[in-house]
Amino acid sequence: METPRGLPPFPLSPTGPAQHIASGTLVGARHAIDHVDDAVVALAGLRRRLVGAVHRSKRVAGLPVRDGEREAGVLSRARRVAARVAVPGDTADALMHALMSDACRQQVQAGNAGPRPAVRISMSTPVASRSFSAARLLRLLPPPRRLRPLLRRLPRVAHEPLAERILARAVRRVDPVTLDLVRGRRLGIELEDLGLAWVFAWSGERLLACHEPAEATVRGSATDLFLLASRQEDADTLFFQRRLILTGDVELGLTVRNLLDRLPWEDLPLGLRIVLHRGSHLLRAARDAHRA
């Protein structure tokens, strides 16, 4: 009897291993989305704080609430960023229109509330208040270690290809002759707080993930590795403070680090630079807020 076209030859059992993995992946992905949604709302709250400062400045300067040129610039900028991170333009438009509408409504409501009573201007209290509010918002972002149980449930095929692609884009501008120094060598990267670890090797043509033991491993927190990748922290400082640890073949680890140090920051793809730069700032600010 022939198998109907379009169906697998051996239907999977509803309780089979594939369904078990898919179920775990679904639960983990939804949990991660919930945390991302929390962060988006927290950032929207931070944006409203900044809009309040803009409104007060406009009121003093006698400027109207709406600024067509500024709004067009916001939409244009959002579309450029969206194109670099594979977000549809209409999605970016809808998001920015919602945020700008909320900002206008916020400013109109503040204007209708009438002038505020005069207060004595202090050089320390407003700054401390703003810092406290920003810290409260940043604490809503879950620290990376809380995501570890979730990420452990994801199969390697769910995150390894993404890590491989990001690193491959980062090193594609490095001189191939220089990369021949590490041809076939295996370097491991371990994010301790997230519980993620990968091993990569340069094949002579491209960077590939492999499942063989690493010859050298760089281990540290996701935040510190982000800071290193975005050039916000110096490698020597991170290693000296033991925030990053190199194990195994130290010579190989130092060779790779020196190769990456020679890579001009401006040669990295613009979208990757934006993600690294802004992501590292956000992670460091969130970590500082949690420690406080």
Side-chain angles (χ1 to χ4, degrees), residues 10 25 48 55 59 63 73 81 118 130 136 148 157 185 211 213 221 248 254:
F10 299 102
T25 302
R48 286 179 62 87
H55 171 67
R59 188 169 57 183
L63 298 175
V81 175
R130 287 195 297 270
R136 284 197 305 176
R148 183 169 183 162
V157 295
R185 306 298 302 276
H211 297 162
S221 70
L254 293 177

Side-chain angles (χ1 to χ4, degrees), residues 196-211:
L196 297 176
W198 309 284
V199 179
F200 299 97
W202 178 252
S203 68
E205 298 179 354
R206 55 176 298 191
L207 189 73
L208 298 172
C210 60
H211 297 162

Side-chain angles (χ1 to χ4, degrees), residues 112-142:
N112 293 338
R116 294 184 177 181
V119 296
R120 180 175 177 270
I121 297 177
S122 169
M123 296 301 292
S124 58
T125 303
V127 174
S129 177
R130 287 195 297 270
S131 299
F132 177 72
S133 299
R136 284 197 305 176
L137 290 172
L138 287 168
R139 288 195 196 103
L140 295 177
L141 295 174

Side-chain angles (χ1 to χ4, degrees), residues 148 169 181 212 238 245 284:
R148 183 169 183 162
R169 292 193 66 185
L181 295 173
E212 300 177 32
L238 292 174
I245 298 175
R284 177 159 56 185

